Amino acid sequence: SQTIHQWPATLVQPVGSPLSLECTVEGTSNPNLYWYRQAAGRGLQLLFYSVGIGQISSEVPQNLSASRPQDRQFILSSKKLLLSDSGFYLCAWSVPRRGDTQYFGPGTRLTVL
Amino acid sequence: AQSVTQLDSQVPVFEEAPVELRCNYSSSVSVYLFWYVQYPNQGLQLLLKYLSGSTLVESINGFEAEFNKSQTSFHLRKPSVHISDTAEYFCAVSLDRGSTLGRLYFGRGTQLTVWP
């Protein structure tokens, strides 16, 4: 069976510090991978998606970046965090097939102070 | 451009009462439609989805949703709710019918609270 992991689960960082959130998927090959951010009362916003190693597409301009160094590893990064980067970050994967379900990880709660 | 509107941010109901969570979308192309549920401090889980065919789709725990193309709606219903249904519910659309990208665009969510 497939599983998706995210770490850390919780993170408190000062403004201006760097960020690295990691997501890994087990039990599947060549998945589509996605990063979402959930801010209070604003639903989920798609940040990045990837269809393969090294292939990253950004949905919104921001000071975050994403990388996919391995087939089942997806990393969300920032060089300098802003207060507005606070939120709940969710990674998801899907089989690259029309209409396929996205499966979400447990999320990372990021607080920028 | 596409958008998903969940008309109610909070829906309080009593146990065993019926409930409807509303979702409307705007899109100039055909879409796939999804409902996800999120329990506190957890990721999202798929509740049900509409891809094609019958406009009424059901989940294993008694929820159902009906795709209405003319009204561009995909409302979620349950005839009798349980306390364990208390959670946040998200409606989402995918415009990628012609590809395998599978990007989802979510509404702001509806917090369903079931009281005893």
Side-chain angles (χ1 to χ4, degrees):
Chain A
S1 65
Q2 300 87 10
T3 55
I4 178 169
H5 305 278
Q6 286 186 246
W7 63 90
T10 306
L11 192 60
V12 180
Q13 292 284 94
V15 169
S17 62
L19 174 74
S20 181
L21 304 181
E22 189 165 343
C23 170
T24 59
V25 181
E26 297 176 355
T28 188
S29 298
N30 195 31
N32 286 347
L33 295 171
Y34 311 86
W35 277 112
Y36 293 88
R37 177 171 56 205
Q38 184 177 18
R42 298 182 62 182
L44 280 82
Q45 182 183 37
L46 177 63
L47 301 176
F48 300 95
Y49 64 95
S50 172
V51 299
I53 296 174
Q55 300 179 62
I56 309 295
S57 297
S58 173
E59 282 283 306
V60 293
Q62 59 208 319
N63 73 321
L64 299 171
S65 62
S67 62
R68 185 171 177 174
Q70 300 179 44
D71 181 45
R72 291 169 290 177
Q73 184 184 32
F74 205 22
I75 297 172
L76 184 68
S77 303
S78 174
K79 292 182 179 178
K80 289 185 177 181
L81 283 169
L82 306 173
L83 287 174
S84 57
D85 292 325
S86 293
F88 193 45
Y89 287 83
L90 290 159
C91 180
W93 72 274
S94 71
V95 173
R97 182 171 55 206
R98 295 178 188 180
D100 201 63
T101 300
Q102 284 190 22
Y103 300 92
F104 285 80
T108 295
R109 176 78 57 193
L110 172 65
T111 303
V112 182
L113 301 175
Chain B
Q2 70 290 329
S3 70
V4 180
T5 303
Q6 292 184 245
L7 295 166
D8 306 297
S9 59
Q10 309 239 3
V11 174
V13 294
F14 287 108
E15 194 172 19
E16 297 183 3
V19 71
E20 178 180 79
L21 307 183
R22 295 179 292 171
C23 173
N24 288 88
Y25 68 94
S26 63
S27 174
S28 58
V29 300
S30 296
V31 300
Y32 295 136
L33 293 159
F34 303 78
W35 275 100
Y36 279 83
V37 59
Q38 183 180 33
Y39 299 99
N41 295 311
Q42 294 184 27
L44 277 68
Q45 304 170 33
L46 180 72
L47 197 57
L48 46 76
K49 64 181 178 182
Y50 171 77
L51 303 182
S52 65
S54 173
T55 57
L56 184 66
V57 290
E58 300 176 350
S59 72
I60 58 173
N61 57 355
F63 283 95
E64 64 178 30
E66 185 160 18
F67 169 55
N68 188 317
K69 187 175 181 179
S70 63
Q71 297 184 8
T72 59
S73 67
F74 191 54
H75 300 332
L76 183 69
R77 303 183 182 95
K78 189 170 185 179
S80 176
V81 293
H82 303 291
I83 289 179
S84 60
D85 293 324
T86 294
E88 189 148 23
Y89 292 79
F90 291 93
C91 182
V93 302
S94 174
L95 306 178
D96 295 320
R97 284 183 68 107
S99 79
T100 59
L101 286 176
R103 294 167 296 179
L104 291 179
Y105 300 94
F106 286 85
R108 295 191 173 193
T110 298
Q111 174 64 45
L112 172 65
T113 303
V114 181
W115 299 100

